[in-house]
Each structure stands twice: as C-alpha cells, then as structure tokens.
C-alpha cells in the first residue's frame, strides 16, 4: 500500500547524520526547495574520520581499479566546483621508496590514463578544468632535478611546480627514494572548513532545518509497505549502487522518534529518509530490520609541529605495503609548520582488530570498546604520545630533520563504513533497498555529491520533485547558497570549530599560495 503523492508544501525529507555525506545531501536537496531536516546527534557538523585530500584520481591507492580512479577523479572535480572554500590548492608528491617491490614506471600507465580522462572531461565541459591544465596533471622529477632544486632559494609563496618541490628537495634523503617521483594535481580538503561551509549555508536556506544534539531512537514505516527483511543475500541484491528499478510515483510515509537537546522524546513525520550515519549506519538499518553487509574500520591520523620547516610544502605520499612496517607514509602540510601524519602500519594509522564486519543478526559491525571509547570520550595520553611519535619516526626515515617534530594535538580519528565485503573499496556512494529509504555509504568525502545526485534521482522517480523548478532540478549541482559563501566567513567559523575541538587553528587555515595550475 502506498500513499498519494504529497503536495509541494508537504514533501519532507529527513537526513540522519551530519557528516560530509549527510551535510552535502541536506544542502543539495534544500537548495532546490525540498524541505529537508538534518538530525545530528552531536553538537556540530562534519566531525568524523580524518580527511585531508580530494582523491582526484585515486593515486594514493595502487591496488584499486582504474574505474574507481576515474570515478574519484570525476567526483573530486565536482567537489572542487561546489566547495571551493574548503580546498587547499597545493599539489601532492607521489614517491616509491627503495624498499618497495614495485617501480615508479608501474605508476605511469595509470597516470597517463587519468590525464587522458581529465583531458576528455575538460573537452566535454570547460568548467571541469579545476585541476589546472590537463597537460600539467602530473609531472615526473628525476634525482638530478631535485638536486638542482635543493640549491635554489625557497620562496615564501609557491608560484609553480618547481617551487613546491624546493622544501622537499632540501630535506629529503634522496637515497631512500626511487626515481622519478611525481608531482600530481591532488589538492587538500579541510574538514574544519567543510563543517563551517555546511553550517553557514544551512542557516541561510529557508527549506533546511538543522537539528544538532538530536538523536534518532526509532523509525516506523506508517504506510505498512516496507517489504519484510530477508537474508543478507536477498537484500544485498537489492542494495546496489544504483537507483531502484521500481517505476511510478510511490510515496512512503515515515515517523521518526528522536530525543532533542533537552532529552525530551519527540516525533517527526516525513516522506523520505536518508541514513547518513557513517559507521553507525547499521544501527538505523537494525531499527527497520533491514540487513546489510558492510565493514567498519577505525583509523587515525596524527598532528605534529615541525618548527624548523620552511617554505610551502606539497602533500607527500611515499608508497609502501599496507599493514607492514614499510606501510605508506603520508605528510599533509598546514600553515606554520603543522603536519597531519598517516602511516599505514599497525603502530600508527591502522589498528589490530580495527576492521570489523556486520553479521546475519545485525547490519551494524561491532567495534570493540577500546575504539568506541576513543570516539566517544578521549584517548589515553600515553597512546597519543606513542603513536604520534611512531608517525614522526616513520616520516623521518625519508626526512631526517623531521625527527625534531613534536606532538601538537590529539589525533584526528574516527571510523568509516565500507559497503559490502571488500576493504579496498574506495569509490562508493549510495544504496537503496526500500522506496523512500536511502543509505549514504561514501568511503571518501569527494563521493558525497554523487550520493546526493543518486538520492535526488530517486526522489524524481518517486514523484517527489514535481513541485520544483525544472531548470534547477535538471541543472548540474545547483548550490546557490553554498557557492555564495565568502572565504573569510568560512575561515572565521572554521577557526572557531577547530578551537572548540581542541585543535590548532592552523588545521583550519587555508594554504595561501598561487594556484598550481
């Protein structure tokens, strides 16, 4: 049984979860004129797993497919066009250590494929040229070139490719790397400025209601049309990354029970529910008895201050075998000598027992208490010190002077969901298993817009967008409020958010440099 299509004033969407996915989806729908209410149980938006770059091509992951890389490239371009104030316009260095089993030559085929795909995207739409000229998507540097760059003075503001390499060339131990190394147009993405932009935009949109410190405790399908849940296999056949095959205008009515900021229990009726609860998405699925196969992985990055640094740094990725002592080393630069550090070893970013799977009786993978305590409360000081020091030591294998860096803040941490059973999946967006209910299942922040597009498509299929302006609905990423934000306004709020979360303001500040394109 299904209800009649609501009139324009009645159509309401509830988005549960205010991370990158939930915030982006709420903005996407409300800017079009769909009445959208975002429920976030925490005090602010976008406070989840650490993010630091767009993944414009998937170059950080040698083991994923070309198709995933192409998807990440397109999604990153779209993200750059909508959330420009959240981007740090600095490139990334990709290098292989001498201990690696592969060679730099093995990276070239994918780089050429990505360059060609970017060239095609720009040819199709000139506004896609946000990563600089396609001809300059990447550039190789041999050892002799770095040796020459090391002799040049370091500019305060990088004006071109070579300028970005000068501080790296002056400090890296060249004997630890294979050549060439590659400079790639892979930019940074600020979680703090994303949180600020989403907050400011939502407050300016009449059709968007932001309810912080609100927790969903129950969901009821009042239409009675929800199909009984079956086996994991049956539901996973329906829960694919595509719009459901059902045709026709069908509207399902939902009633959400929630606790408000005062702890009082309230009810909220809506026509469509988006489950954007991140690693807790399975808890909402369980409320509806909807099985789902997914993984959850706890990860952390570490914040160090290197007062001896100079010039403007690119991000530096030194590949390695994940989960071994030679796992990838990653240095993400921020102003004033602050760095965010990843090390894909079990002493740094990865954790023994940190990857868990759902099972037949619950769609929610169960992290152990030690991880939940980190997420919900705080880290033991000794572990903060030991893991940050391990990250510093890992980086100093390649940059000896970095050994002087010190612990600067608590880690950036959280858990991420990965739909399905493949822990290597990186390009994912949304799944559907019932009319009027969608799961946002992004793994990378740049996939959030794709998730919002898929959900908008599902709303169209259900006949819930008939009241909207056709031109706006059919336009590519209609975000007038978000795009009208000023850099100054976003940065000011981002600085406050960083301080409220006990992080240095440097992590929220934009990298002030000339565009590398």
């Amino acid at each position: 049984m299904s209800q009649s299509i609501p009139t324009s004033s009645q159509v309401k969407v509830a988005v549960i979860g205010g991370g990158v996915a939930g915030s982006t989806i709420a903005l996407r729908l409300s800017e079009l004129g769909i009445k959208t209410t975002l429920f976030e149980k925490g005090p602010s938006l976008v406070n989840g797993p650490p993010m630091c770059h767009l993944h414009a091509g998937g170059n950080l992951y040698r083991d994923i497919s070309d198709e995933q890389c192409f998807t990440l490239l397109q999604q990153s371009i779209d993200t750059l066009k909508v959330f420009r104030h959240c981007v740090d316009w600095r490139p990334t260095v990709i290098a292989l250590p001498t201990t690696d089993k592969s060679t730099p030559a093995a990276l070239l085929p994918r780089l050429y494929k990505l360059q060609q795909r970017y060239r095609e995207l720009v040819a199709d739409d000139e506004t896609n040229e946000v990563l600089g000229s396609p001809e300059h998507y990447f550039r190789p540097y041999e050892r002799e070139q770095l040796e020459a760059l090391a002799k040049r003075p370091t500019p305060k503001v990088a004006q071109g490719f070579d300028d970005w390499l000068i501080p790296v060339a002056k400090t890296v131990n060249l004997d630890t790397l294979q050549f060439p190394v590659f400079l790639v147009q892979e930019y940074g993405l600020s979680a703090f400025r994303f949180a600020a932009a989403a907050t400011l935009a939502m407050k300016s949109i009449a059709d968007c209601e932001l309810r912080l410190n609100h927790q969903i405790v129950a969901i009821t399908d009042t239409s009675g049309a929800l199909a009984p849940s079956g086996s994991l296999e049956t539901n996973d056949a329906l829960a694919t990354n595509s719009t459901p095959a059902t045709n026709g205008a069908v509207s399902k009515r939902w009633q959400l029970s929630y606790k408000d900021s005062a702890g009082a229990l309230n009810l909220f009726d809506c026509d469509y529910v988006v489950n954007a609860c991140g690693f807790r998405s399975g808890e909402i699925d369980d409320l509806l008895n909807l099985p789902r196969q997914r993984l959850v992985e706890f990860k952390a990055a570490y914040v160090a201050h290197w007062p001896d640094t100079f010039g403007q740094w690119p991000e530096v990725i030194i590949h390695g075998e994940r989960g071994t002592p030679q796992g990838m080393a990653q240095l993400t630069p921020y102003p004033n000598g602050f760095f965010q550090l990843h090390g894909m070893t079990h002493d740094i970013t990865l954790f023994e027992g940190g990857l868990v799977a759902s099972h037949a009786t619950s769609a929610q993978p169960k992290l152990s208490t030690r991880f939940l305590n980190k997420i919900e409360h705080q880290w033991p000081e000794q572990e903060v010190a030991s893991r940050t020091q391990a990250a510093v030591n890992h980086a100093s294998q390649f940059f000896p002077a970095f050994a002087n860096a010190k612990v600067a803040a608590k880690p950036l941490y959280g858990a991420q969901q990965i739909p399905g059973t493949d822990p290597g999946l990186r390009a994912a967006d949304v799944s559907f298993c019932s009319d009027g209910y969608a799961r946002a299942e992004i793994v990378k922040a740049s996939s959030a817009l794709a998730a919002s597009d898929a959900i908008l498509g599902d709303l169209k299929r259900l006949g819930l967008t008939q009241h909207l302006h056709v031109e706006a609905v059919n336009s590519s990423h209609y975000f007038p409020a978000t795009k009208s934000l000023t850099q100054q306004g976003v940065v000011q709020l981002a600085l406050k958010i960083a301080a409220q979360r006990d992080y240095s303001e440097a992590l929220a500040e934009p990298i002030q440099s000339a565009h590398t394109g």
Side-chain angles (χ1 to χ4, degrees):
M1 179 178 69
S2 63
Q3 298 179 341
S4 60
I5 301 172
T7 63
S8 60
S9 61
Q10 293 175 324
V11 175
K12 293 194 295 184
V13 174
V15 179
I16 309 172
V20 172
S23 297
T24 301
I25 292 163
L27 287 172
R28 179 84 164 106
L29 302 183
S30 62
E31 296 220 37
L32 288 169
I34 299 171
K35 293 188 181 301
T36 306
T37 301
L38 175 60
F39 293 89
E40 165 54 44
K41 74 172 187 176
S44 60
L45 298 175
V46 191
N47 192 10
M51 62 179 180
C52 48
H53 39 239
L54 282 163
H55 294 281
N59 290 296
L60 276 65
Y61 306 108
R62 293 183 290 180
D63 53 343
I64 67 175
S65 67
D66 288 344
E67 286 307 314
Q68 284 197 64
C69 290
F70 295 154
T71 298
L72 290 171
L73 177 64
Q74 176 67 74
Q75 292 175 348
S76 295
I77 289 171
D78 292 339
T79 301
L80 275 166
K81 291 161 72 172
V82 175
F83 297 103
R84 294 182 65 85
H85 299 318
C86 306
V87 175
D88 283 321
W89 302 89
R90 50 106 188 107
T92 296
V93 172
I94 306 291
L96 267 65
T98 55
T99 56
D100 198 82
K101 296 176 183 178
S102 186
T103 65
L107 300 179
L108 277 170
R110 174 167 289 174
L111 286 167
Y112 282 126
K113 289 178 183 178
L114 286 165
Q115 183 178 46
Q116 179 57 28
R117 178 58 61 91
Y118 181 39
R119 187 181 291 114
E120 292 167 357
L121 291 171
V122 171
D124 290 341
D125 181 354
E126 61 182 12
T127 67
N128 285 331
E129 193 171 331
V130 291
L131 298 170
S133 166
E135 304 311 313
H136 298 152
Y137 172 70
F138 77 95
R139 181 179 295 180
Y141 281 82
E142 298 291 348
R143 177 170 182 147
E144 294 77 14
Q145 292 173 284
L146 290 189
E147 289 173 338
L149 289 174
K151 298 175 183 178
R152 288 172 46 175
T154 305
K156 291 184 178 181
V157 177
Q159 298 292 331
F161 295 108
D162 289 354
D163 288 350
W164 287 106
L165 265 295
I166 290 175
V168 173
K170 287 180 180 292
T171 53
V172 71
N173 179 354
L174 295 174
D175 292 335
T176 63
L177 302 181
Q178 299 184 52
F179 291 92
V181 301
F182 301 98
L183 191 73
V184 181
Q185 296 289 47
E186 165 66 71
Y187 304 145
L189 189 63
S190 167
F192 298 110
R193 296 206 301 280
F194 205 110
T199 302
L200 291 171
M202 285 184 196
K203 289 181 177 179
S204 72
I205 302 170
D207 289 307
C208 189
E209 182 181 8
L210 175 58
R211 298 189 182 186
L212 298 173
N213 297 303
H214 282 57
Q215 183 174 4
I216 303 298
V217 295
I219 303 179
T220 303
D221 169 26
T222 60
S223 73
L226 183 62
S229 60
S231 67
L232 284 173
E233 291 76 11
T234 300
N235 281 274
D236 271 344
L238 294 171
T240 58
N241 285 345
S242 60
T243 303
T246 306
N247 293 316
V250 179
S251 177
K252 187 174 295 182
R253 197 77 180 171
W254 305 88
Q255 187 173 80
L256 280 59
S257 302
Y258 66 91
K259 288 184 179 179
D260 62 21
S261 55
L265 191 63
N266 299 271
L267 298 176
F268 181 86
D269 293 327
C270 62
D271 303 287
Y272 197 99
V273 173
V274 178
N275 176 357
C277 291
F279 87 96
R280 296 189 185 276
S281 293
E283 295 177 3
I284 303 299
D285 283 337
D286 284 350
L287 291 176
L288 293 167
N289 195 26
L290 291 173
R292 177 70 165 131
Q293 286 188 326
R294 60 165 58 86
L295 303 170
V296 162
E297 185 171 23
F298 181 87
K299 289 183 176 180
Y302 304 87
V303 184
H305 185 228
W306 187 20
D308 301 330
T309 190
F310 48 87
Q312 290 189 311
W313 275 67
E315 183 164 6
V316 179
I317 304 295
I318 300 177
H319 278 304
E321 185 178 351
R322 178 187 172 96
T324 72
Q326 290 75 44
M328 183 179 74
Q330 177 180 335
L331 294 83
T332 304
Y334 295 94
N336 303 320
F338 285 85
F339 285 81
Q340 179 178 334
L341 305 174
H342 286 78
M344 291 305 167
T345 78
H346 288 291
D347 294 327
I348 306 174
T349 292
L350 307 178
F351 291 76
E352 294 289 350
L355 178 66
V356 291
S358 57
H359 49 84
T361 60
S362 175
Q364 179 60 46
K366 300 298 189 291
L367 281 171
S368 72
T369 302
R370 66 189 177 104
F371 298 121
L372 294 176
N373 284 340
K374 287 182 172 68
I375 294 172
E376 297 172 354
H377 304 292
Q378 63 182 11
W379 285 56
E381 289 187 14
Q382 183 178 357
E383 189 174 7
V384 172
S386 64
R387 283 188 173 263
T388 305
Q389 187 60 53
V392 169
N393 294 343
H394 196 53
S396 65
Q397 297 176 80
F398 310 101
F399 299 95
F402 195 77
N404 296 325
K406 304 299 182 184
V407 178
K410 62 184 178 182
L412 296 153
Y413 57 90
Q416 68 179 26
Q417 68 168 324
I418 305 171
T421 60
D422 177 11
L425 180 67
R426 292 296 176 266
D429 42 59
V430 66
S431 67
F432 305 91
C433 66
S434 173
D435 284 338
Y437 178 74
R439 306 182 187 96
E441 297 178 317
I442 70 170
V443 179
K444 295 303 174 186
S446 55
S447 300
L449 277 173
S452 72
D453 292 343
I455 289 168
L456 178 59
D458 197 42
L459 289 167
K460 291 180 183 179
R461 182 187 66 84
L462 294 171
L464 298 178
T465 61
Q466 294 178 1
H467 64 289
L468 303 178
H469 193 283
V470 175
E471 184 177 343
V473 173
N474 293 332
S475 66
S476 176
H477 295 146
Y478 182 77
F479 282 86
T482 303
K483 291 180 178 180
S484 69
L485 297 173
T486 66
Q487 177 87 351
Q488 181 181 10
V490 170
V491 171
Q492 285 180 347
L493 181 55
L495 295 175
K496 293 180 181 178
I497 292 172
Q500 290 167 356
R501 298 179 186 176
D502 296 323
Y503 291 105
S504 169
E505 290 185 349
L507 274 65
E509 294 175 357
I511 293 178
Q512 302 293 344
S513 63
H515 192 291
T516 56

